[in-house]
Amino acid sequence: MKKQQKNKVIVIFQIIAAIGAVMLFGGEILSIRDNQNYTQVQKEISVVEPIDSVLFDEQNQVIYVGYDSATCVNAYTTDGEFAWAVSVPFQANGQTEFYLYDGALIIEAADHGFYYNAKTGEFIKEVPYAELDVEMLEDHQQKLNNSCEYQTDGYSVYRTIGETSEEIISKPFWHIFFNRYLGILIMGIAIVSGFVIGYLPKKSKTVPQQKITWEMNKGTVKRLRYIKVITYINIAFAALNLAVGFFFPAICIGFIPVVLHFIVAGGVFISEGRYNLSVPEAELSLIEKWKRYMFLSILIPVLSLLLTVGL
């Protein structure tokens, strides 16, 4: 690939990465609300961020759809008709939590617990975080969630009974373009692809005259063996990471081993300056070629992690 063509392709990937960054951060920024009128019932609140939580009050037959960044809840009937909404002040740090307990909808955000009537949305009280029995609320909510027949994929709410599933509430399809995980995936693929294109070996019009025989310098043999083994391990590790992350996302192994390898590689090649003075140019060229392959193979596990997060 010619240099001019390569630069154009890299620019395209940079633009795609920027789009991914907008998807990653844009949805969250656009969804932020700082409602100081939190004692009043609100009209239906529309935000582009995915649904964070779905709760169901069996006694009142109300479905609660909660949003983390927007710190709000939309309440619906079991037929999917909007009933009322409540919204609390902006949560600067941490995650907004939603609970049902003793006839109250509780939103824990901004270091406070905001209590609302679970049936009507009428404001009950506001208490400091220290007065909340968070462990008890989490245990109680976990029991409710285990028996809840309403689930979400982030963009729709489904009623699941046995093996049948029925969509009750849905968000506009275009909201998916602000999905943070899809943004991470697109940005990661674009960045890695840009690096790969940037480090593609240049085509040489001249062929080295010196032929490499099997009697190479011992240092060259050791370095080549090390680089090749690491290259193959990186590729195998990426496949393992993707498989584990796909089937068991809770134990995705990430790319920490690859980072550790950088530390080891630094030690292996620390004396490379003196070594370069004692070997033929052809051997150095061969090592440089395989080092380039090794560097590209290091990006593969990073890409596999990004794919796993996106999935």
Side-chain angles (χ1 to χ4, degrees), residues 45-299:
I45 300 169
S46 178
V47 290
V48 297
E49 73 166 315
I51 297 169
D52 179 68
S53 177
V54 172
L55 312 180
F56 177 59
D57 185 345
E58 187 173 2
Q59 180 179 353
N60 295 314
Q61 293 291 290
V62 178
I63 303 170
Y64 309 92
V65 177
Y67 296 92
D68 176 18
S69 297
T71 57
C72 66
V73 172
N74 286 324
Y76 300 87
T77 67
T78 53
D79 294 325
E81 295 183 4
F82 173 75
W84 47 266
V86 290
S87 178
V88 303
F90 171 56
Q91 166 100 318
N93 297 299
Q95 183 174 357
T96 307
E97 302 292 346
F98 307 93
Y99 308 103
L100 282 175
Y101 182 74
D102 196 23
L105 167 68
I106 305 169
I107 304 178
E108 185 254 295
D111 295 326
H112 285 77
F114 301 88
Y115 285 68
Y116 298 89
N117 184 294
K119 185 176 183 179
T120 65
E122 181 182 358
F123 181 75
I124 299 175
K125 64 179 179 178
E126 173 188 353
V127 301
Y129 179 82
E131 295 184 17
L132 290 174
D133 190 342
V134 176
E135 185 175 351
M136 181 273 294
L137 290 174
E138 288 179 346
D139 289 343
H140 180 73
Q141 190 58 53
Q142 186 61 50
K143 293 177 183 178
L144 293 178
N145 290 343
N146 290 339
S147 60
C148 183
E149 61 190 41
Y150 293 92
Q151 307 294 332
T152 182
D153 60 3
Y155 294 93
S156 294
V157 176
Y158 300 89
R159 179 192 292 120
T160 304
I161 303 176
E163 296 183 356
T164 62
S165 183
E166 176 188 7
E167 186 180 75
I168 305 298
I169 304 165
S170 63
K171 293 166 64 68
F173 174 78
W174 60 269
H175 282 195
I176 195 171
F177 294 108
F178 290 95
N179 185 297
R180 69 192 66 160
Y181 299 111
L182 183 59
I184 291 174
L185 179 60
I186 291 175
M187 185 170 60
I189 292 176
I191 291 174
V192 171
S193 300
F195 269 114
V196 170
I197 296 297
Y199 279 87
L200 282 176
K202 298 179 181 178
K203 290 184 179 180
S204 177
K205 296 182 180 179
T206 59
V207 178
Q209 297 298 316
Q210 185 172 355
K211 185 177 179 180
I212 301 177
T213 67
W214 60 273
E215 295 181 326
M216 285 191 293
N217 183 286
K218 290 184 179 180
T220 301
V221 173
K222 290 180 180 179
R223 279 170 168 75
L224 280 176
R225 186 181 296 126
Y226 173 80
I227 294 171
K228 289 180 180 180
V229 168
I230 290 299
T231 301
Y232 298 141
I233 287 177
N234 284 337
I235 296 172
F237 174 78
L240 176 63
N241 187 59
L242 190 60
V244 170
F246 183 79
F247 293 104
F248 307 100
I251 57 173
C252 181
I253 50 184
F255 55 92
I256 292 178
V258 179
V259 176
L260 294 177
H261 161 256
F262 270 116
I263 300 174
V264 175
V268 171
F269 295 106
I270 197 168
S271 60
E272 192 168 340
R274 294 182 179 179
Y275 166 79
N276 289 348
L277 299 175
S278 61
V279 297
E281 181 66 27
E283 292 186 15
L284 287 178
S285 177
L286 183 61
I287 288 180
E288 285 300 318
K289 181 181 75 172
W290 272 97
K291 281 173 66 176
R292 188 181 297 113
Y293 293 156
M294 182 181 72
F295 177 78
L296 294 177
S297 76
I298 289 171
L299 295 177

